[in-house]
Amino acid sequence: QVQLVESGGGLVQFGGSLRLSCAASGSILKISAMSWYRQAPGKERELVAVIKRDGSTNYTDSVKGRFSISRDNAQNAVFLQMNRLKTEDTAVYYCNADVLSFAIIDRWLDVWGQGTLVSVSS
């Protein structure tokens, strides 16, 4: 099996910064895209940022200029640097990856982490 484990969430003041980390482990052959999603109470889960294996990135408009996604392919890890945080950023943040596994090689797996809570105080 393949697992993603997030860390780095917590409580932060308005305007503060936080760095989220996510590491993949298990029978991994290859990971293509890695992403961060978030879900606020009463809201649908939304894509925050995505990074492809070549390092190209995309962000949702609401976080452009404030958030930065990066990855370390050697560690199968993805990071999200969040700066100038707003109360609207409060949500559970989920790591996501498209994984080709040694165990299941006939299709790509859509793997999710357990989520880490980011709370921005007003």
Side-chain angles (χ1 to χ4, degrees):
Q1 74 278 27
V2 178
Q3 292 181 315
L4 300 178
V5 179
E6 302 103 331
S7 62
L11 178 64
V12 64
Q13 295 179 352
F14 183 92
S17 297
L18 214 56
R19 185 174 187 261
L20 305 183
S21 300
C22 172
S25 62
S27 54
I28 300 169
L29 268 173
K30 188 177 182 179
I31 300 178
S32 57
M34 303 188 80
S35 305
W36 287 97
Y37 288 75
R38 67 186 180 187
Q39 187 167 23
K43 298 292 187 68
E44 297 294 319
R45 187 172 299 185
E46 67 169 342
L47 176 65
V48 178
V50 59
I51 183 168
K52 297 180 179 179
R53 190 170 179 85
D54 64 1
S56 61
T57 60
N58 290 99
Y59 301 89
T60 190
D61 287 343
S62 62
V63 307
K64 287 181 178 177
R66 299 189 298 120
F67 290 11
S68 180
I69 189 171
S70 60
R71 66 190 289 169
D72 185 334
N73 291 334
Q75 297 181 349
N76 290 324
V78 63
F79 310 92
L80 186 67
Q81 179 66 46
M82 304 183 294
N83 299 320
R84 304 193 305 280
L85 283 160
K86 305 175 180 179
T87 54
E88 305 94 276
D89 297 318
T90 295
V92 176
Y93 284 71
Y94 297 91
C95 178
N96 174 262
D98 296 323
V99 181
L100 191 64
S101 174
F102 286 105
I104 306 174
I105 204 168
D106 60 334
R107 69 183 189 275
W108 289 84
L109 304 178
D110 186 26
V111 185
W112 292 86
Q114 83 286 354
T116 185
L117 177 63
V118 173
S119 296
V120 184
S121 64
S122 60

